[in-house]
Amino acid sequence: MKKHIPNLFFACIVMLFPLHTLADTSGEQSAKTISPNNGTAQKQGWIEEQGKRYYYENNVPVKGWLDLNGSKFYLHPETGVMQTGWIKNGSAWYYLANNGVMQTGWVKDGSAWYYLANNGVMQTGWMKDENVWYYLADSGAMQTGWIKDGSAWYYLTGSGAMQTSWVKDRGVWYYLNANGAWIPNTAADNLSTVWDSDQLILVTTNGYNTVNSNIMTFEKINGKWNEILNVKGYIGKTGFAVNKREGDLKSPRGKYTIGTAFGRYGNPGTKLPFRDITNKDTIISNSNSSLYNTWQQSGSGGMNIPAFDYGFVINYNTEERIPGKGSGILFHVTDMYTLGCTGTSKEYVISILKWLDPSKKPIIIQTPESELSYY
C-alpha cells in the first residue's frame, strides 16, 4: 500500500532552511542564501545580524574597504561590521553616511561643514573649490570670520569664502590683498592730502632738532597704500625747518613733488628724467643771482662727489625761486647728516629711483611724526 507523506513534513523542511534577505539601497547588493550540494546555507551580500550590518562573500564577511557598484563602504578590519560617521584609516579621516556610503565634497556634520576630496579624505588648511578659497581647521571644520595663518590675517564670509579687496566688518573697513592677506593701515592711510598720488615717500623724525629720520615708501594699489620700503635715513645738520633759509643747514618740512633724477654713473633704471653729473654741474645758491636755485654748468662745478652718485631733486622752491628761501634741496646718497638735503645709503637710493614712476605722480612728505596730521 502506497504511503502519503503529510504536508507537515514539507513545512518542517522549509523551516530548517530560512532565507534572510535585506532590501536594496543605493550602491548595495541584496543578500542571498546559496544552498550547495551538502545542504549547508551560504551567506552572500548584505546581511544584518544582531542589529549590525555585514557584507559577505562566499560565507566570509568582507573587512576593510568595499567598492560596490560605484560606492565605497568601510567594514571594520576585525569584525567586518559596516561603519558609519567619521572613521580614521591610516592617517586620513573619512565620513560615511548612515547607509555606510563614503562621502565626497561638502558634508555638514552638526553645525560644521567639512570638505572631502574625491578619494574621500577629509581636507585641512587652504582648499580651493570652484575658484573660491576656503580654510579648514585641523579638525577639518570650515572656518568663517577672521583667521590667522602664519603671520597673516584673512577674512572668510559666513559661507567660508575668502575675501579680497575692501571688506567692512563691524563698521570698520579693512583691505585684503589679492592673496586674501590683510594689509594693516599704514602711516600713509591716515593722510588726507595724498589721494591724487599713487606713490609716496614719507620722511619722518621724532622732532625738529634731530638728524636721524625714517624713510618709508608707499604705493597705492586698489585704493590702498602698501608699504614698499622702510629704512633709516638722515636730514639736515640742524634738523627740520618750518621756514627754511639759505645756509641754515635745515631740511624743509612740507610736501613736495619730485623732479629730475641724477647720477655720476649713468641711469640706474629710473623712469624719471635723468641727468648725468659732470665736473661742471652745480646748483646756484647765490640769492642775488637771477639763476638762483637753478641747475647750471660752470667752471667751478662742485657736484661730482660721492654724495651725488645717485639721487633726485626735491622740488622745493624750484618754481618761485624766492631768494634766500633755500636752494639745492636734493635726495641723495649719505651715511650722515646733510647740509639741508635728505638721504640714505646708496643701495636704497638706487632702489627708490628704480621704483619711482612719474605716471603715478610721486610726492615726498618731510615732517616730524607729531605733525603727520597736517598732511
Side-chain angles (χ1 to χ4, degrees), residues 303-323:
M303 294 185 68
N304 192 14
I305 58 175
F308 301 136
D309 279 354
Y310 295 102
F312 58 83
V313 174
I314 297 174
N315 284 330
Y316 167 80
N317 198 30
T318 55
E319 292 186 10
E320 303 90 341
R321 295 192 297 113
I322 299 172

Side-chain angles (χ1 to χ4, degrees), residues 78-107:
E78 296 179 0
T79 64
V81 174
M82 185 193 79
Q83 304 294 287
T84 61
W86 289 104
I87 65 157
K88 190 174 186 181
N89 183 231
S91 60
W93 283 93
Y94 302 81
Y95 187 79
L96 311 170
N98 289 336
N99 65 355
V101 176
M102 182 194 79
Q103 303 296 287
T104 61
W106 288 103
V107 167

